[in-house]
Amino acid sequence: MAITQAIANAFKKQLLEGDANFSSSSGDKFKLALYTSSATLNSSTTAFTTSGEVSNTGTYASGGDPLAGQNTSIASGVAIVDFADLSFTGVTLTARGAMIYNTSSAVTNAAVAILDFGADKTATSGTFTIQFPAFTTAAAILRISG
């Protein structure tokens, strides 16, 4: 079992087929779900799964929460996407990684990106926050260059 950080291969294909819209006003809806170290997630992951997902606790429920504040930009030939940080409160959990997935895709709950935290991260009767990187061409959570 392992979580390997990656952009889902299926998502790359969906981009080419026009099945992903990150517009802040009329775009698709994206969610983030948390996973334990027992999950197997990588570039071959095609859709949200409950296998290896953290248990319901506090404000965390199966499937995670919607991502808000999505924004896009392009600079120096690099297209970037950002989301607002996401917090789950009143939780007791240990997560090794997360999945961003598209609930509006033609493919039900299509995987977009797999996030590996590098180690187990824990919250005990507290707040678990996903802090997205800076909205820059060098750091944004999703970047397309070429």
Side-chain angles (χ1 to χ4, degrees):
M1 312 284 174
I3 296 175
T4 304
Q5 184 144 320
I7 301 300
N9 291 334
F11 172 69
K12 296 171 192 174
K13 184 173 183 278
Q14 290 164 3
L15 281 176
L16 296 177
E17 294 173 350
D19 187 24
N21 180 349
F22 288 90
S23 170
S24 60
S25 59
S26 60
D28 292 347
K29 304 301 180 205
F30 298 89
K31 290 182 82 173
L32 181 138
L34 298 173
Y35 290 87
T36 68
S37 59
S38 70
T40 300
L41 303 170
N42 53 48
S43 61
S44 296
T45 301
T46 57
F48 166 74
T49 177
T50 58
S51 180
E53 186 181 14
V54 301
S55 299
N56 294 351
T57 176
T59 62
Y60 187 86
S62 182
D65 271 2
L67 291 169
Q70 65 197 47
N71 196 11
T72 61
S73 185
I74 191 161
S76 303
V78 180
I80 58 177
V81 175
D82 187 35
F83 298 100
D85 294 348
L86 178 62
S87 293
F88 301 99
T89 58
V91 297
T92 296
L93 61 81
T94 299
R96 171 57 196 235
M99 178 192 309
I100 296 172
Y101 64 101
N102 185 344
T103 64
S104 305
S105 174
V107 175
T108 303
N109 296 328
V112 172
I114 307 304
L115 309 178
D116 178 5
F117 299 157
D120 283 347
K121 304 297 180 185
T122 302
T124 304
S125 297
T127 301
F128 193 96
T129 300
I130 303 298
Q131 183 176 17
F132 287 99
F135 186 47
T136 67
T137 58
I141 193 68
L142 292 174
R143 300 180 302 268
I144 300 173
S145 63

